Amino acid sequence: MKKLILIFAFLVLGLSQSNAQMLKFGVKAGANFASLEGDGLEGLETYTSFHFGALLELKVFENFSLQPELLYSSQGAKLNSEAVDDINFNYVTVPVLAKFYLISNRLSVEAGPQFSFLIDDNVGDQFESESFDFAAVGGIGLNITDNIFAQARYVVGLTEASKDAEVKNRVIQVSLGYRF
C-alpha cells in the first residue's frame, strides 16, 4: 500500500511540470450507499457511509481525460438484526477512469476499473474477508465551476468480498470536490 501511495505522489509531482491545462489535481468527499449482493442474503439493507480522497485528471484529447484517484471508502451492509452489528469494510480504493465529455469541460460520462485494498473490517469471527476487491465503475460528472465539481457513480464488485460466502460489493457514490 505504501508503494501505491508513493507511485501516486510521484505521478502527481512528475506530471505537475506539464501544462496546467493538461493536468488538474483535486480533492473530493461524499456519501456511499452500499450493500452486499449474493445468494442466500436476506435481511440486508443499504449501509450509508462515506468516502474521501484525491484525484488527478490528465486531459488526453479535447473531450477525453484519464482520472486516477486514491480514496478511502467505507462500505458494507446494514443488518435488520439488533443482535449482530452492521457489516463494515474500510478500503483504500484506486479507481482509474476514462472520462468522455459530452458537453466540453462541463458534463462527462466516466467508466473504468477500481482496485480496492481492505484495511479494516468489523466482521471478526463471523467470516473471513478478502483483502482485495476488483470492481467496475460507471457514472457521470458535472463541473459546476472551473474548480467545483459533482459526481455520481455506481460501483459493481466483480470479486468476492468474503472467503466464506459468495457476496459482492455494490456501492452508489455521490461526491463533491474541488479541482486546483
Short mmCIF file of all heavy atoms in Angstrom, two decimals, residues 15-46:
data_model
loop_
_atom_site.label_atom_id
_atom_site.label_comp_id
_atom_site.label_asym_id
_atom_site.label_seq_id
_atom_site.Cartn_x
_atom_site.Cartn_y
_atom_site.Cartn_z
N LEU A 15 4.00 14.87 -13.24
CA LEU A 15 3.12 15.45 -14.25
C LEU A 15 2.81 16.91 -13.98
O LEU A 15 2.35 17.62 -14.86
CB LEU A 15 1.83 14.63 -14.34
CG LEU A 15 2.00 13.22 -14.88
CD1 LEU A 15 0.68 12.48 -14.82
CD2 LEU A 15 2.55 13.22 -16.29
N SER A 16 3.07 17.38 -12.77
CA SER A 16 2.78 18.78 -12.45
C SER A 16 3.70 19.73 -13.22
O SER A 16 3.41 20.91 -13.31
CB SER A 16 2.88 19.03 -10.95
OG SER A 16 4.21 18.86 -10.52
N GLN A 17 4.77 19.23 -13.76
CA GLN A 17 5.68 20.05 -14.56
C GLN A 17 5.10 20.32 -15.94
O GLN A 17 5.57 21.21 -16.63
CB GLN A 17 7.04 19.35 -14.69
CG GLN A 17 7.70 19.04 -13.36
CD GLN A 17 7.92 20.29 -12.52
OE1 GLN A 17 8.31 21.32 -13.03
NE2 GLN A 17 7.66 20.19 -11.22
N SER A 18 4.08 19.56 -16.34
CA SER A 18 3.49 19.75 -17.67
C SER A 18 2.50 20.91 -17.66
O SER A 18 2.25 21.53 -16.64
CB SER A 18 2.80 18.45 -18.12
OG SER A 18 1.71 18.19 -17.29
N ASN A 19 1.91 21.16 -18.77
CA ASN A 19 0.97 22.25 -18.96
C ASN A 19 -0.20 22.15 -17.97
O ASN A 19 -0.82 21.11 -17.83
CB ASN A 19 0.47 22.20 -20.40
CG ASN A 19 -0.39 23.38 -20.75
OD1 ASN A 19 -0.81 24.15 -19.88
ND2 ASN A 19 -0.63 23.54 -22.03
N ALA A 20 -0.54 23.26 -17.32
CA ALA A 20 -1.61 23.27 -16.31
C ALA A 20 -2.96 22.94 -16.93
O ALA A 20 -3.84 22.44 -16.25
CB ALA A 20 -1.65 24.61 -15.61
N GLN A 21 -3.16 23.24 -18.20
CA GLN A 21 -4.41 22.91 -18.86
C GLN A 21 -4.57 21.41 -19.06
O GLN A 21 -5.66 20.90 -19.17
CB GLN A 21 -4.50 23.62 -20.23
CG GLN A 21 -4.55 25.11 -20.14
CD GLN A 21 -5.83 25.61 -19.50
OE1 GLN A 21 -6.86 24.95 -19.55
NE2 GLN A 21 -5.77 26.77 -18.88
N MET A 22 -3.45 20.71 -19.11
CA MET A 22 -3.48 19.27 -19.36
C MET A 22 -3.65 18.46 -18.08
O MET A 22 -4.05 17.32 -18.12
CB MET A 22 -2.17 18.84 -20.05
CG MET A 22 -1.91 19.50 -21.37
SD MET A 22 -2.98 18.87 -22.65
CE MET A 22 -2.32 17.25 -22.84
N LEU A 23 -3.33 19.05 -16.93
CA LEU A 23 -3.31 18.31 -15.68
C LEU A 23 -3.98 19.11 -14.57
O LEU A 23 -3.67 20.28 -14.37
CB LEU A 23 -1.85 18.04 -15.29
CG LEU A 23 -1.62 17.27 -14.01
CD1 LEU A 23 -2.06 15.83 -14.17
CD2 LEU A 23 -0.17 17.34 -13.62
N LYS A 24 -4.89 18.44 -13.86
CA LYS A 24 -5.56 19.08 -12.73
C LYS A 24 -5.57 18.12 -11.56
O LYS A 24 -5.86 16.93 -11.71
CB LYS A 24 -6.98 19.48 -13.10
CG LYS A 24 -7.05 20.57 -14.14
CD LYS A 24 -8.46 21.00 -14.40
CE LYS A 24 -8.47 22.10 -15.45
NZ LYS A 24 -9.82 22.55 -15.73
N PHE A 25 -5.24 18.65 -10.39
CA PHE A 25 -5.25 17.89 -9.16
C PHE A 25 -6.47 18.33 -8.36
O PHE A 25 -6.86 19.48 -8.39
CB PHE A 25 -3.96 18.17 -8.38
CG PHE A 25 -3.91 17.51 -7.04
CD1 PHE A 25 -3.67 16.15 -6.93
CD2 PHE A 25 -4.11 18.24 -5.89
CE1 PHE A 25 -3.63 15.54 -5.69
CE2 PHE A 25 -4.07 17.64 -4.64
CZ PHE A 25 -3.83 16.28 -4.55
N GLY A 26 -7.10 17.39 -7.63
CA GLY A 26 -8.26 17.75 -6.85
C GLY A 26 -8.47 16.87 -5.64
O GLY A 26 -7.79 15.85 -5.46
N VAL A 27 -9.41 17.28 -4.82
CA VAL A 27 -9.84 16.51 -3.65
C VAL A 27 -11.35 16.38 -3.73
O VAL A 27 -12.04 17.21 -4.32
CB VAL A 27 -9.41 17.18 -2.33
CG1 VAL A 27 -7.90 17.17 -2.19
CG2 VAL A 27 -9.93 18.60 -2.22
N LYS A 28 -11.86 15.31 -3.10
CA LYS A 28 -13.30 15.08 -3.13
C LYS A 28 -13.74 14.31 -1.90
O LYS A 28 -12.93 13.64 -1.24
CB LYS A 28 -13.71 14.33 -4.40
CG LYS A 28 -13.15 12.92 -4.49
CD LYS A 28 -13.51 12.27 -5.80
CE LYS A 28 -14.61 11.28 -5.60
NZ LYS A 28 -14.98 10.55 -6.79
N ALA A 29 -15.01 14.39 -1.60
CA ALA A 29 -15.60 13.65 -0.49
C ALA A 29 -17.08 13.48 -0.79
O ALA A 29 -17.67 14.25 -1.55
CB ALA A 29 -15.40 14.39 0.83
N GLY A 30 -17.67 12.47 -0.16
CA GLY A 30 -19.10 12.27 -0.39
C GLY A 30 -19.65 11.08 0.35
O GLY A 30 -19.00 10.47 1.20
N ALA A 31 -20.88 10.75 -0.01
CA ALA A 31 -21.63 9.68 0.64
C ALA A 31 -21.56 8.39 -0.17
O ALA A 31 -21.55 8.41 -1.40
CB ALA A 31 -23.08 10.10 0.81
N ASN A 32 -21.51 7.27 0.55
CA ASN A 32 -21.62 5.93 -0.03
C ASN A 32 -22.96 5.34 0.40
O ASN A 32 -23.34 5.44 1.57
CB ASN A 32 -20.53 5.00 0.50
CG ASN A 32 -19.19 5.23 -0.14
OD1 ASN A 32 -19.06 5.96 -1.10
ND2 ASN A 32 -18.17 4.61 0.41
N PHE A 33 -23.65 4.73 -0.52
CA PHE A 33 -24.86 3.96 -0.24
C PHE A 33 -24.55 2.54 -0.70
O PHE A 33 -24.63 2.23 -1.88
CB PHE A 33 -26.07 4.56 -0.95
CG PHE A 33 -26.27 6.01 -0.60
CD1 PHE A 33 -25.82 7.03 -1.43
CD2 PHE A 33 -26.88 6.35 0.60
CE1 PHE A 33 -25.98 8.35 -1.09
CE2 PHE A 33 -27.05 7.69 0.96
CZ PHE A 33 -26.60 8.69 0.10
N ALA A 34 -24.11 1.70 0.25
CA ALA A 34 -23.52 0.40 -0.07
C ALA A 34 -24.42 -0.75 0.32
O ALA A 34 -25.27 -0.64 1.21
CB ALA A 34 -22.17 0.26 0.64
N SER A 35 -24.20 -1.87 -0.34
CA SER A 35 -24.88 -3.12 0.00
C SER A 35 -24.00 -4.28 -0.45
O SER A 35 -23.01 -4.10 -1.13
CB SER A 35 -26.25 -3.19 -0.67
OG SER A 35 -26.11 -3.22 -2.07
N LEU A 36 -24.39 -5.46 -0.02
CA LEU A 36 -23.74 -6.69 -0.46
C LEU A 36 -24.76 -7.49 -1.24
O LEU A 36 -25.93 -7.55 -0.87
CB LEU A 36 -23.24 -7.49 0.74
CG LEU A 36 -22.11 -6.85 1.54
CD1 LEU A 36 -21.84 -7.65 2.80
CD2 LEU A 36 -20.85 -6.74 0.71
N GLU A 37 -24.31 -8.10 -2.32
CA GLU A 37 -25.20 -8.90 -3.16
C GLU A 37 -24.66 -10.31 -3.26
O GLU A 37 -23.45 -10.51 -3.43
CB GLU A 37 -25.31 -8.27 -4.54
CG GLU A 37 -26.29 -8.99 -5.44
CD GLU A 37 -26.42 -8.26 -6.76
OE1 GLU A 37 -27.04 -7.19 -6.79
OE2 GLU A 37 -25.89 -8.78 -7.76
N GLY A 38 -25.54 -11.29 -3.14
CA GLY A 38 -25.12 -12.67 -3.26
C GLY A 38 -26.25 -13.62 -2.96
O GLY A 38 -27.34 -13.22 -2.52
N ASP A 39 -26.00 -14.90 -3.17
CA ASP A 39 -27.02 -15.93 -2.92
C ASP A 39 -27.26 -16.09 -1.43
O ASP A 39 -26.34 -16.11 -0.62
CB ASP A 39 -26.57 -17.27 -3.51
CG ASP A 39 -26.50 -17.22 -5.03
OD1 ASP A 39 -27.23 -16.41 -5.63
OD2 ASP A 39 -25.70 -17.98 -5.60
N GLY A 40 -28.51 -16.23 -1.05
CA GLY A 40 -28.88 -16.52 0.33
C GLY A 40 -28.78 -15.34 1.28
O GLY A 40 -28.86 -15.52 2.49
N LEU A 41 -28.58 -14.13 0.75
CA LEU A 41 -28.51 -12.97 1.62
C LEU A 41 -29.92 -12.42 1.86
O LEU A 41 -30.61 -12.05 0.92
CB LEU A 41 -27.64 -11.87 1.00
CG LEU A 41 -26.16 -12.15 0.90
CD1 LEU A 41 -25.45 -10.99 0.25
CD2 LEU A 41 -25.57 -12.42 2.27
N GLU A 42 -30.31 -12.39 3.10
CA GLU A 42 -31.62 -11.86 3.46
C GLU A 42 -31.45 -10.92 4.63
O GLU A 42 -30.54 -11.06 5.45
CB GLU A 42 -32.57 -13.00 3.84
CG GLU A 42 -32.85 -13.93 2.69
CD GLU A 42 -33.69 -15.13 3.11
OE1 GLU A 42 -34.23 -15.12 4.22
OE2 GLU A 42 -33.81 -16.06 2.31
N GLY A 43 -32.33 -9.95 4.74
CA GLY A 43 -32.29 -9.03 5.87
C GLY A 43 -31.21 -7.97 5.77
O GLY A 43 -30.84 -7.38 6.78
N LEU A 44 -30.70 -7.71 4.56
CA LEU A 44 -29.69 -6.68 4.38
C LEU A 44 -30.34 -5.42 3.82
O LEU A 44 -31.21 -5.49 2.95
CB LEU A 44 -28.59 -7.14 3.42
CG LEU A 44 -27.73 -8.31 3.88
CD1 LEU A 44 -26.69 -8.63 2.81
CD2 LEU A 44 -27.06 -8.03 5.20
N GLU A 45 -29.90 -4.29 4.32
CA GLU A 45 -30.36 -3.01 3.83
C GLU A 45 -29.17 -2.17 3.41
O GLU A 45 -28.02 -2.54 3.66
CB GLU A 45 -31.15 -2.27 4.93
CG GLU A 45 -32.43 -2.96 5.34
CD GLU A 45 -33.16 -2.22 6.44
OE1 GLU A 45 -32.66 -1.15 6.88
OE2 GLU A 45 -34.19 -2.70 6.87
N THR A 46 -29.45 -1.03 2.81
CA THR A 46 -28.39 -0.13 2.37
C THR A 46 -27.65 0.46 3.56
O THR A 46 -28.26 0.92 4.52
CB THR A 46 -28.99 1.01 1.52
OG1 THR A 46 -29.65 0.43 0.40
CG2 THR A 46 -27.91 1.95 1.03
#
